[in-house]
Amino acid sequence: MSRTLIHSQSHSQVATERPVFVSTWNFGKPANEASLRKYQGGGSILDAVEEGIRLTEADKSNASVGDGGKPNAEGKVQLDACIMHGPGTKAGSVGGIEDIAHPISVARAVMEKTPHVMLVGQGAKKFALEQGFASENLLTAKQRKEWRAWRREKRKMEAGENNHDTIALVGIAADGTLAGGCSTSGLAYKMPGRVGDSPIIGSGLYVDNEIGAAGATGVGENVMRFCGSFMVVEYMRQGLSPEEACAETIRRIARLDGRPIEDLHINFIALNKKGQFGAAGTGNGFPYAVTYPGFSDILQS
Ligand code: ASP
């Protein structure tokens, strides 16, 4: 195992103003900015997180989240999402939901309107329809064409670098309240029914209102066996900076997994209660977005 392959910043960055939003990948920047607008328009930190993720879910050109996401091996788009609100450690989640464009909002409805944390498959869809969400075909012509080509060639799903991505977005309000969400179509051409880390509380996302929040993207199987986001938050509790907490989580996962670190394809973002943020990944620089009043940019871990 080589430590040098973990990409993380060597210093801790801190936002000078609040709220602060931190999210995965380049597409996190417009999502963060939508979150900031929502918050500045009077929304809560939870409303803001949901709004940012909804923007990514609605973008049909984004093939890894929401509408326009890559389908499973049978050509069906199955979406995973979860949301957490710091006060009271509230959580809601949906796994493998079909035909619903905004799983993050269904996850929020699970959190706020049911006594449960997670609904999956047909039950999640039934609940969404009862809540007034529309049933829509989420498979775009482009993704159908690519899926057909994949099927013709009878390629095996490769859990590699380029067939997935996720929006994980975490935020802290002016009063220190934390919230976060995570949404994905998961690994492209996954086995029907496969659920990844993204909707699993503690794996794809974790929010602890005393300490901070963390989110994950990458090969979910290499995150969910380790409660990855929970581990990041626990390292922050022990005093590590967000960057170091993400990097230490990756080191520990790699050690336990045993494979070369570059084969894991995992990335984490983190934000602590002081407004410090950071990220780390196993690839060659992981882009993540940071936004607060007067600042919005894409940084590289
Ligand atoms: N973590 C997601 C999953 O495994 C995919 C990704 O973030 O790239 O479903």
Side-chain angles (χ1 to χ4, degrees):
M1 184 191 79
S2 162
R3 288 190 164 210
T4 55
L5 283 164
I6 298 172
H7 287 267
S8 72
Q9 296 155 1
S10 56
H11 62 285
S12 201
Q13 304 211 32
V14 63
T16 49
E17 295 227 28
R18 289 184 187 185
V20 189
F21 298 99
V22 182
S23 63
T24 51
W25 306 115
N26 294 342
F27 54 66
K29 184 168 176 277
N32 285 354
E33 289 164 1
S35 295
L36 181 61
R37 280 195 300 277
K38 184 76 180 180
Y39 184 90
Q40 289 179 328
S44 68
I45 194 72
L46 186 67
D47 296 335
V49 163
E50 180 188 5
E51 184 76 6
I53 292 176
R54 283 179 65 92
L55 186 93
T56 314
E57 288 177 339
D59 180 0
K60 280 183 192 293
S61 69
N62 181 326
S64 55
V65 179
D67 200 0
K70 284 197 183 292
N72 66 18
E74 291 178 353
K76 191 76 201 173
V77 179
Q78 289 187 322
L79 303 176
D80 298 336
C82 74
I83 196 160
M84 287 190 79
H85 194 206
T89 319
K90 302 264 178 14
S93 163
V94 289
I97 192 169
E98 298 181 358
D99 307 320
I100 307 288
H102 289 295
I104 193 69
S105 297
V106 185
R108 182 169 179 180
V110 172
M111 176 172 82
E112 293 179 338
K113 297 182 177 161
T114 81
H116 308 303
V117 169
M118 185 169 195
L119 294 178
V120 302
Q122 287 308 309
K125 180 175 173 182
K126 183 168 179 281
F127 169 71
L129 296 177
E130 284 164 7
Q131 291 295 315
F133 290 83
S135 177
E136 329 171 24
N137 176 18
L138 305 179
L139 186 64
T140 59
K142 180 174 184 292
Q143 292 309 333
R144 185 183 302 112
K145 201 170 154 216
E146 288 183 15
W147 166 69
R148 284 199 174 131
W150 170 84
R151 200 180 45 169
R152 256 197 317 276
E153 293 170 29
K154 289 198 169 57
R155 274 184 274 163
K156 276 224 157 74
M157 184 199 74
E158 277 176 40
E161 191 98 70
N162 297 319
N163 61 2
H164 52 86
D165 278 344
T166 292
I167 178 124
L169 192 158
V170 295
I172 187 165
D175 69 356
T177 302
L178 286 148
C182 189
S183 182
T184 190
S185 50
L187 299 182
Y189 317 133
K190 60 194 177 186
M191 286 176 71
R194 179 266 185 188
V195 171
D197 61 320
S198 306
I200 307 296
I201 303 301
S203 287
L205 178 79
Y206 199 66
V207 176
D208 179 321
N209 214 41
E210 293 178 344
I211 303 297
T217 179
V219 175
E221 283 73 7
N222 297 338
V223 173
M224 62 202 294
R225 290 178 288 135
F226 304 94
C227 302
S229 293
F230 181 75
M231 198 188 287
V232 172
V233 171
E234 288 308 296
Y235 280 129
M236 291 197 287
R237 186 191 309 280
Q238 291 169 23
L240 268 57
S241 72
E243 291 86 354
E244 258 312 300
C246 293
E248 189 55 28
T249 296
I250 292 175
R251 279 183 208 116
R252 181 158 149 199
I253 289 174
R255 200 166 60 235
L256 291 167
D257 179 276
R259 281 176 291 175
I261 214 163
E262 61 270 27
D263 290 352
L264 295 177
H265 303 292
I266 54 175
N267 309 275
F268 292 97
I269 53 160
L271 171 68
N272 71 14
K273 194 80 176 169
K274 294 182 222 153
Q276 292 174 309
F277 51 83
T282 56
N284 198 9
F286 160 52
Y288 70 106
V290 178
T291 301
Y292 50 89
F295 180 88
S296 188
D297 211 350
I298 295 162
L299 308 179
Q300 292 279 335
S301 73

